[in-house]
Amino acid sequence: MTTLLIADDHPLFREALRGVALRLLPDAQIREAEDAGGLFAMVEANPDADLLLMDLNMPGAQGFSALVHLRAVHPQLPIVMVSAREEPEVVRRALDHGAVGFIPKSADAATLARALRQVLDGERWLPRHAAC
């Protein structure tokens, strides 16, 4: 069974991510967090999760600090950054800090589903506009 972790401080966006994920993987177990403290506790409680979808800007985290921390403590966990910040330099920094993908919050549900499938298949996913 697939376990997906979702970390975003906006309840409506977490609901949207959960909805797309469950349409793609109806039997998935989904866990959620709304801030960095909850994120770290969620990852500790689910060390074998298949994927973490993590907002770049969450309470309790500064920039890429949560990503850097999780890469150091849980290097096996695939992490996809999800953000309203879509500039190519932000995407590059996320990848440089160990993210396996970057999904802009402006992406539609079909794009999000493609990105999830590709990352769960072990590939990297980036928005088309990111020249990385």
Side-chain angles (χ1 to χ4, degrees), residues 108-129:
D108 60 25
T111 301
L112 177 57
R114 279 193 308 276
L116 288 177
R117 174 53 51 212
Q118 193 166 323
V119 170
L120 287 169
D121 286 342
E123 299 175 38
R124 192 162 84 164
W125 193 90
L126 302 171
R128 287 188 180 153
H129 73 274

PDB file of all heavy atoms in Angstrom, residues 108-129:
ATOM      1  N   ASP A 108      -2.746  22.194 -12.835  1.00  0.00           N
ATOM      2  CA  ASP A 108      -4.096  21.634 -12.762  1.00  0.00           C
ATOM      3  C   ASP A 108      -4.031  20.194 -12.255  1.00  0.00           C
ATOM      4  O   ASP A 108      -2.950  19.619 -12.094  1.00  0.00           O
ATOM      5  CB  ASP A 108      -4.808  21.727 -14.115  1.00  0.00           C
ATOM      6  CG  ASP A 108      -4.087  20.973 -15.233  1.00  0.00           C
ATOM      7  OD1 ASP A 108      -3.335  20.018 -14.952  1.00  0.00           O
ATOM      8  OD2 ASP A 108      -4.301  21.337 -16.401  1.00  0.00           O
ATOM      9  N   ALA A 109      -5.199  19.615 -11.996  1.00  0.00           N
ATOM     10  CA  ALA A 109      -5.267  18.272 -11.412  1.00  0.00           C
ATOM     11  C   ALA A 109      -4.625  17.222 -12.309  1.00  0.00           C
ATOM     12  O   ALA A 109      -3.958  16.303 -11.810  1.00  0.00           O
ATOM     13  CB  ALA A 109      -6.713  17.905 -11.105  1.00  0.00           C
ATOM     14  N   ALA A 110      -4.789  17.330 -13.625  1.00  0.00           N
ATOM     15  CA  ALA A 110      -4.200  16.349 -14.541  1.00  0.00           C
ATOM     16  C   ALA A 110      -2.671  16.411 -14.492  1.00  0.00           C
ATOM     17  O   ALA A 110      -1.994  15.376 -14.494  1.00  0.00           O
ATOM     18  CB  ALA A 110      -4.703  16.584 -15.965  1.00  0.00           C
ATOM     19  N   THR A 111      -2.131  17.608 -14.424  1.00  0.00           N
ATOM     20  CA  THR A 111      -0.682  17.765 -14.329  1.00  0.00           C
ATOM     21  C   THR A 111      -0.170  17.214 -13.008  1.00  0.00           C
ATOM     22  O   THR A 111       0.845  16.514 -12.962  1.00  0.00           O
ATOM     23  CB  THR A 111      -0.291  19.248 -14.479  1.00  0.00           C
ATOM     24  OG1 THR A 111      -0.760  19.712 -15.750  1.00  0.00           O
ATOM     25  CG2 THR A 111       1.207  19.444 -14.374  1.00  0.00           C
ATOM     26  N   LEU A 112      -0.887  17.506 -11.941  1.00  0.00           N
ATOM     27  CA  LEU A 112      -0.501  16.985 -10.634  1.00  0.00           C
ATOM     28  C   LEU A 112      -0.507  15.461 -10.636  1.00  0.00           C
ATOM     29  O   LEU A 112       0.426  14.825 -10.136  1.00  0.00           O
ATOM     30  CB  LEU A 112      -1.437  17.521  -9.557  1.00  0.00           C
ATOM     31  CG  LEU A 112      -1.214  17.014  -8.144  1.00  0.00           C
ATOM     32  CD1 LEU A 112       0.198  17.283  -7.656  1.00  0.00           C
ATOM     33  CD2 LEU A 112      -2.234  17.632  -7.198  1.00  0.00           C
ATOM     34  N   ALA A 113      -1.516  14.861 -11.232  1.00  0.00           N
ATOM     35  CA  ALA A 113      -1.592  13.394 -11.304  1.00  0.00           C
ATOM     36  C   ALA A 113      -0.415  12.827 -12.101  1.00  0.00           C
ATOM     37  O   ALA A 113       0.201  11.837 -11.695  1.00  0.00           O
ATOM     38  CB  ALA A 113      -2.920  12.964 -11.920  1.00  0.00           C
ATOM     39  N   ARG A 114      -0.071  13.454 -13.220  1.00  0.00           N
ATOM     40  CA  ARG A 114       1.086  12.999 -14.016  1.00  0.00           C
ATOM     41  C   ARG A 114       2.366  13.111 -13.207  1.00  0.00           C
ATOM     42  O   ARG A 114       3.207  12.211 -13.229  1.00  0.00           O
ATOM     43  CB  ARG A 114       1.210  13.811 -15.307  1.00  0.00           C
ATOM     44  CG  ARG A 114       0.300  13.360 -16.417  1.00  0.00           C
ATOM     45  CD  ARG A 114       0.678  13.974 -17.761  1.00  0.00           C
ATOM     46  NE  ARG A 114       0.812  15.420 -17.754  1.00  0.00           N
ATOM     47  CZ  ARG A 114      -0.196  16.283 -17.881  1.00  0.00           C
ATOM     48  NH1 ARG A 114      -1.425  15.838 -18.031  1.00  0.00           N
ATOM     49  NH2 ARG A 114       0.019  17.579 -17.875  1.00  0.00           N
ATOM     50  N   ALA A 115       2.516  14.206 -12.495  1.00  0.00           N
ATOM     51  CA  ALA A 115       3.719  14.411 -11.681  1.00  0.00           C
ATOM     52  C   ALA A 115       3.809  13.346 -10.592  1.00  0.00           C
ATOM     53  O   ALA A 115       4.870  12.752 -10.386  1.00  0.00           O
ATOM     54  CB  ALA A 115       3.700  15.808 -11.072  1.00  0.00           C
ATOM     55  N   LEU A 116       2.714  13.081  -9.908  1.00  0.00           N
ATOM     56  CA  LEU A 116       2.713  12.059  -8.860  1.00  0.00           C
ATOM     57  C   LEU A 116       3.083  10.698  -9.416  1.00  0.00           C
ATOM     58  O   LEU A 116       3.906   9.981  -8.845  1.00  0.00           O
ATOM     59  CB  LEU A 116       1.343  11.985  -8.180  1.00  0.00           C
ATOM     60  CG  LEU A 116       0.971  13.138  -7.277  1.00  0.00           C
ATOM     61  CD1 LEU A 116      -0.441  12.947  -6.752  1.00  0.00           C
ATOM     62  CD2 LEU A 116       1.948  13.265  -6.140  1.00  0.00           C
ATOM     63  N   ARG A 117       2.481  10.324 -10.531  1.00  0.00           N
ATOM     64  CA  ARG A 117       2.763   9.017 -11.132  1.00  0.00           C
ATOM     65  C   ARG A 117       4.236   8.921 -11.504  1.00  0.00           C
ATOM     66  O   ARG A 117       4.894   7.919 -11.243  1.00  0.00           O
ATOM     67  CB  ARG A 117       1.870   8.813 -12.365  1.00  0.00           C
ATOM     68  CG  ARG A 117       2.164   7.571 -13.172  1.00  0.00           C
ATOM     69  CD  ARG A 117       2.200   6.248 -12.417  1.00  0.00           C
ATOM     70  NE  ARG A 117       1.052   5.998 -11.605  1.00  0.00           N
ATOM     71  CZ  ARG A 117       1.087   5.312 -10.447  1.00  0.00           C
ATOM     72  NH1 ARG A 117       2.217   4.822  -9.983  1.00  0.00           N
ATOM     73  NH2 ARG A 117       0.003   5.106  -9.764  1.00  0.00           N
ATOM     74  N   GLN A 118       4.770   9.948 -12.123  1.00  0.00           N
ATOM     75  CA  GLN A 118       6.166   9.924 -12.568  1.00  0.00           C
ATOM     76  C   GLN A 118       7.120   9.801 -11.378  1.00  0.00           C
ATOM     77  O   GLN A 118       8.056   9.006 -11.408  1.00  0.00           O
ATOM     78  CB  GLN A 118       6.458  11.198 -13.365  1.00  0.00           C
ATOM     79  CG  GLN A 118       7.750  11.156 -14.134  1.00  0.00           C
ATOM     80  CD  GLN A 118       7.830  12.281 -15.149  1.00  0.00           C
ATOM     81  OE1 GLN A 118       6.836  12.646 -15.767  1.00  0.00           O
ATOM     82  NE2 GLN A 118       9.012  12.832 -15.312  1.00  0.00           N
ATOM     83  N   VAL A 119       6.864  10.562 -10.317  1.00  0.00           N
ATOM     84  CA  VAL A 119       7.738  10.512  -9.142  1.00  0.00           C
ATOM     85  C   VAL A 119       7.598   9.162  -8.438  1.00  0.00           C
ATOM     86  O   VAL A 119       8.598   8.570  -8.018  1.00  0.00           O
ATOM     87  CB  VAL A 119       7.446  11.690  -8.198  1.00  0.00           C
ATOM     88  CG1 VAL A 119       8.173  11.517  -6.885  1.00  0.00           C
ATOM     89  CG2 VAL A 119       7.851  13.003  -8.857  1.00  0.00           C
ATOM     90  N   LEU A 120       6.389   8.646  -8.324  1.00  0.00           N
ATOM     91  CA  LEU A 120       6.200   7.342  -7.694  1.00  0.00           C
ATOM     92  C   LEU A 120       6.837   6.222  -8.517  1.00  0.00           C
ATOM     93  O   LEU A 120       7.186   5.173  -7.978  1.00  0.00           O
ATOM     94  CB  LEU A 120       4.713   7.063  -7.462  1.00  0.00           C
ATOM     95  CG  LEU A 120       4.093   7.871  -6.323  1.00  0.00           C
ATOM     96  CD1 LEU A 120       2.581   7.742  -6.351  1.00  0.00           C
ATOM     97  CD2 LEU A 120       4.663   7.456  -4.974  1.00  0.00           C
ATOM     98  N   ASP A 121       7.013   6.460  -9.815  1.00  0.00           N
ATOM     99  CA  ASP A 121       7.714   5.497 -10.674  1.00  0.00           C
ATOM    100  C   ASP A 121       9.228   5.663 -10.614  1.00  0.00           C
ATOM    101  O   ASP A 121       9.963   5.035 -11.371  1.00  0.00           O
ATOM    102  CB  ASP A 121       7.239   5.639 -12.124  1.00  0.00           C
ATOM    103  CG  ASP A 121       5.851   5.070 -12.348  1.00  0.00           C
ATOM    104  OD1 ASP A 121       5.378   4.277 -11.506  1.00  0.00           O
ATOM    105  OD2 ASP A 121       5.225   5.415 -13.373  1.00  0.00           O
ATOM    106  N   GLY A 122       9.700   6.552  -9.732  1.00  0.00           N
ATOM    107  CA  GLY A 122      11.135   6.708  -9.534  1.00  0.00           C
ATOM    108  C   GLY A 122      11.806   7.746 -10.402  1.00  0.00           C
ATOM    109  O   GLY A 122      13.033   7.830 -10.447  1.00  0.00           O
ATOM    110  N   GLU A 123      11.013   8.556 -11.095  1.00  0.00           N
ATOM    111  CA  GLU A 123      11.575   9.577 -11.968  1.00  0.00           C
ATOM    112  C   GLU A 123      11.455  10.956 -11.323  1.00  0.00           C
ATOM    113  O   GLU A 123      10.725  11.137 -10.363  1.00  0.00           O
ATOM    114  CB  GLU A 123      10.843   9.564 -13.311  1.00  0.00           C
ATOM    115  CG  GLU A 123      10.967   8.233 -14.046  1.00  0.00           C
ATOM    116  CD  GLU A 123      10.143   8.211 -15.314  1.00  0.00           C
ATOM    117  OE1 GLU A 123      10.092   9.245 -15.999  1.00  0.00           O
ATOM    118  OE2 GLU A 123       9.541   7.171 -15.599  1.00  0.00           O
ATOM    119  N   ARG A 124      12.150  11.911 -11.898  1.00  0.00           N
ATOM    120  CA  ARG A 124      12.065  13.295 -11.449  1.00  0.00           C
ATOM    121  C   ARG A 124      10.982  13.996 -12.248  1.00  0.00           C
ATOM    122  O   ARG A 124      10.746  13.658 -13.413  1.00  0.00           O
ATOM    123  CB  ARG A 124      13.425  13.968 -11.684  1.00  0.00           C
ATOM    124  CG  ARG A 124      13.563  15.287 -11.007  1.00  0.00           C
ATOM    125  CD  ARG A 124      14.999  15.680 -10.915  1.00  0.00           C
ATOM    126  NE  ARG A 124      15.413  16.317 -12.153  1.00  0.00           N
ATOM    127  CZ  ARG A 124      16.515  17.031 -12.274  1.00  0.00           C
ATOM    128  NH1 ARG A 124      17.316  17.164 -11.253  1.00  0.00           N
ATOM    129  NH2 ARG A 124      16.827  17.585 -13.397  1.00  0.00           N
ATOM    130  N   TRP A 125      10.306  14.987 -11.645  1.00  0.00           N
ATOM    131  CA  TRP A 125       9.293  15.748 -12.366  1.00  0.00           C
ATOM    132  C   TRP A 125       9.488  17.223 -12.111  1.00  0.00           C
ATOM    133  O   TRP A 125       9.650  17.656 -10.969  1.00  0.00           O
ATOM    134  CB  TRP A 125       7.871  15.364 -11.958  1.00  0.00           C
ATOM    135  CG  TRP A 125       6.873  15.914 -12.924  1.00  0.00           C
ATOM    136  CD1 TRP A 125       6.419  15.286 -14.045  1.00  0.00           C
ATOM    137  CD2 TRP A 125       6.257  17.194 -12.895  1.00  0.00           C
ATOM    138  NE1 TRP A 125       5.550  16.137 -14.718  1.00  0.00           N
ATOM    139  CE2 TRP A 125       5.436  17.302 -14.033  1.00  0.00           C
ATOM    140  CE3 TRP A 125       6.329  18.280 -12.033  1.00  0.00           C
ATOM    141  CZ2 TRP A 125       4.679  18.437 -14.317  1.00  0.00           C
ATOM    142  CZ3 TRP A 125       5.583  19.413 -12.314  1.00  0.00           C
ATOM    143  CH2 TRP A 125       4.764  19.483 -13.446  1.00  0.00           C
ATOM    144  N   LEU A 126       9.472  17.984 -13.194  1.00  0.00           N
ATOM    145  CA  LEU A 126       9.621  19.439 -13.125  1.00  0.00           C
ATOM    146  C   LEU A 126       8.615  20.098 -14.038  1.00  0.00           C
ATOM    147  O   LEU A 126       8.220  19.526 -15.062  1.00  0.00           O
ATOM    148  CB  LEU A 126      11.017  19.855 -13.589  1.00  0.00           C
ATOM    149  CG  LEU A 126      12.188  19.263 -12.839  1.00  0.00           C
ATOM    150  CD1 LEU A 126      13.486  19.595 -13.540  1.00  0.00           C
ATOM    151  CD2 LEU A 126      12.207  19.805 -11.424  1.00  0.00           C
ATOM    152  N   PRO A 127       8.219  21.326 -13.734  1.00  0.00           N
ATOM    153  CA  PRO A 127       7.345  22.056 -14.660  1.00  0.00           C
ATOM    154  C   PRO A 127       8.093  22.367 -15.948  1.00  0.00           C
ATOM    155  O   PRO A 127       9.326  22.488 -15.949  1.00  0.00           O
ATOM    156  CB  PRO A 127       6.988  23.326 -13.887  1.00  0.00           C
ATOM    157  CG  PRO A 127       8.022  23.464 -12.827  1.00  0.00           C
ATOM    158  CD  PRO A 127       8.541  22.085 -12.543  1.00  0.00           C
ATOM    159  N   ARG A 128       7.363  22.479 -16.998  1.00  0.00           N
ATOM    160  CA  ARG A 128       7.999  22.724 -18.309  1.00  0.00           C
ATOM    161  C   ARG A 128       8.855  23.984 -18.355  1.00  0.00           C
ATOM    162  O   ARG A 128       9.874  24.019 -19.021  1.00  0.00           O
ATOM    163  CB  ARG A 128       6.930  22.825 -19.400  1.00  0.00           C
ATOM    164  CG  ARG A 128       6.335  21.513 -19.727  1.00  0.00           C
ATOM    165  CD  ARG A 128       5.443  21.605 -20.917  1.00  0.00           C
ATOM    166  NE  ARG A 128       4.895  20.287 -21.188  1.00  0.00           N
ATOM    167  CZ  ARG A 128       3.771  20.071 -21.779  1.00  0.00           C
ATOM    168  NH1 ARG A 128       3.036  21.087 -22.198  1.00  0.00           N
ATOM    169  NH2 ARG A 128       3.343  18.854 -21.984  1.00  0.00           N
ATOM    170  N   HIS A 129       8.418  25.006 -17.646  1.00  0.00           N
ATOM    171  CA  HIS A 129       9.143  26.276 -17.705  1.00  0.00           C
ATOM    172  C   HIS A 129      10.468  26.264 -16.942  1.00  0.00           C
ATOM    173  O   HIS A 129      11.263  27.181 -17.077  1.00  0.00           O
ATOM    174  CB  HIS A 129       8.273  27.423 -17.170  1.00  0.00           C
ATOM    175  CG  HIS A 129       8.112  27.404 -15.684  1.00  0.00           C
ATOM    176  ND1 HIS A 129       7.140  26.655 -15.057  1.00  0.00           N
ATOM    177  CD2 HIS A 129       8.809  28.022 -14.697  1.00  0.00           C
ATOM    178  CE1 HIS A 129       7.239  26.820 -13.753  1.00  0.00           C
ATOM    179  NE2 HIS A 129       8.234  27.652 -13.508  1.00  0.00           N
TER     180      HIS A 129
END
